[in-house]
Amino acid sequence: MNEHAGLSNEAPRWASGRRLLDWFAFWARQISLPSDAAPDSRSRRTLAVVAVLGFAFLLLPRPTGLVAEHLHKEDGMIFLTDYLREGFGGLFAIYSGYLHVGPRLIVGSCAAVLSPEALTGCIAASTAGVRALATMLAFWVFLPYARSWRWALTAAAGAFLFLPNGQQEILGNVTNLRWILVAATATALLGVFKRWPQIILASAFAVLGALSDPLALVLAPLALVRLLTARGRSLLVPVTYGTAALVQFLMMRSGDRAVAGDQSVFANLSDAAIQLLVRGVAVTQYGLTGTEALMMAGGARLAVAATALPIVTVVLALRLNRTNRPLVGFLLLWCTAGLGLLGVTFVFADMKALALTDWWSPASASRYSALVGFFLTPALVLASASLWDKRPLALAPRVLALATLAALVLACAADFRGDSWNTHGPKWADTVYQARVQCQSSRDDQVVPITPQGVPMPWTATLTCEWLRGG
């Protein structure tokens, strides 16, 4: 009697667990679409042209100045200074609680190969190149979910090359390369690759992303799905990610970034919810400049209200594409990942310092918004693509899709102005010249100012005379 009662009690638990596994397996199949190369030579040529144009676009001078003429924050104070002191032996050094292998590798390579004057140009070109390569990878990954290769290319380029907020704080420096690498790592883990060039590129992003930012460790469930669903050589991407993620996990010091008390996100949950909408959805759709304009006109409430456009676009696309399960899975996964990663960053952020109290507040730590934009932008583009040809409700979805895409284009144009703090400091070539002159009368290392100046934090870099002389 008791035995039968025990069986009856266990049955619901087993059934519940089985349903969970079935649900997991179902969604795993939806994100296990093959990411083959572009279907024809025309699309491959177009991809190459867009990548080159986007690369050039990221290096253009902005109204606030040319970013490639300046050495930015940790690019100089940490990564260059450490390289000149330790060489590549410091590649796995901990800073701010975790590894920064990608930024250290770029700065060290530029400093080792080129003249000191060319350092900042090399850094800017390297970050633009990373974004161009991420665009190519994203194109292959988004292709199975898009209505055509043109929409896949629009989604990939819109995210990594022409992201409106991608022209602000993260432009032209490796200090903020981590945000790009996290998004590229997620893209690499989403794809199912069969060709060696794609596998090598995806694996490189997976390794550099996991070794450059602990946020990439949040992507472990996606890597697990890929381990369970991939076959053959496609397994190389999640395996290399897992190895790199384990190294980051074992070496990181999470206590270095802890925030407690009334400054933590847990004491400001309502504010965090508003920031998810404003810094996440609004800045993605309208750019930093557009969101600041909304804040100036009506404060955070108007910025929150304006998120109705992108939210309705995605929700309607989900509703009208219920039978297109791969697209539904992609939209849910990518929107959840973008907003979820932003939420995780709040755990290590001073919520009081990020409060949306003034119209210029979204510019504070705008790098957080860039991280979300890498995920929400392709979701908005592919959702708009699915609405464009929907019938019988053709007119309303098309108007909504057109408004969403037009807002993204206008946001890109408005954010072209750049971030003035990226050029608010001495030009690097002048700094190198002055430091080299000082080395003629002194053998001591030269402590030089870098960008930005006029801020509470005194940003400097320590240069060796041996490096400045080319020895």
Side-chain angles (χ1 to χ4, degrees), residues 221-287:
L222 183 57
L224 178 60
V225 170
R226 191 56 64 237
L227 278 171
L228 296 175
T229 57
R231 297 291 184 271
R233 65 182 68 173
S234 297
L235 284 168
L236 184 62
V237 179
V239 168
T240 53
Y241 162 83
T243 304
L246 181 61
V247 173
Q248 178 74 271
F249 177 76
L250 293 176
M251 296 190 67
M252 61 187 265
R253 300 192 299 261
S254 57
D256 292 3
R257 296 291 297 267
V259 177
D262 63 354
Q263 297 177 331
S264 75
V265 64
F266 303 106
N268 300 272
L269 291 177
S270 59
D271 291 342
I274 294 175
Q275 295 217 35
L276 280 176
L277 289 174
V278 176
R279 293 185 181 277
V281 183
V283 175
T284 297
Q285 178 68 91
Y286 306 106

Side-chain angles (χ1 to χ4, degrees), residues 98-99 101 181-182 185 204-217 240-249:
Y98 58 92
L99 298 173
V101 171
L181 290 177
V182 169
T185 299
F205 274 125
V207 169
L208 288 178
L211 291 177
S212 300
D213 194 323
L215 274 179
L217 305 187
T240 53
Y241 162 83
T243 304
L246 181 61
V247 173
Q248 178 74 271
F249 177 76

Side-chain angles (χ1 to χ4, degrees), residues 53-128:
L53 292 177
F55 175 84
F57 173 78
L58 293 172
L59 296 177
L60 287 175
R62 308 300 161 121
T64 56
L66 180 59
V67 175
E69 292 181 333
H70 297 262
L71 188 62
H72 185 84
K73 292 186 176 180
E74 282 94 343
D75 289 20
M77 176 173 274
I78 304 300
F79 305 134
L80 177 60
T81 298
D82 285 358
Y83 171 76
L84 295 180
R85 183 174 59 245
E86 303 176 24
F88 285 114
L91 195 61
F92 286 83
I94 300 294
Y95 167 67
S96 192
Y98 58 92
L99 298 173
H100 297 257
V101 171
R104 290 184 184 277
L105 185 61
I106 288 177
V107 172
S109 298
C110 290
V113 174
L114 301 175
S115 66
E117 290 88 348
L119 176 73
T120 53
C122 179
I123 291 174
S126 297
T127 57

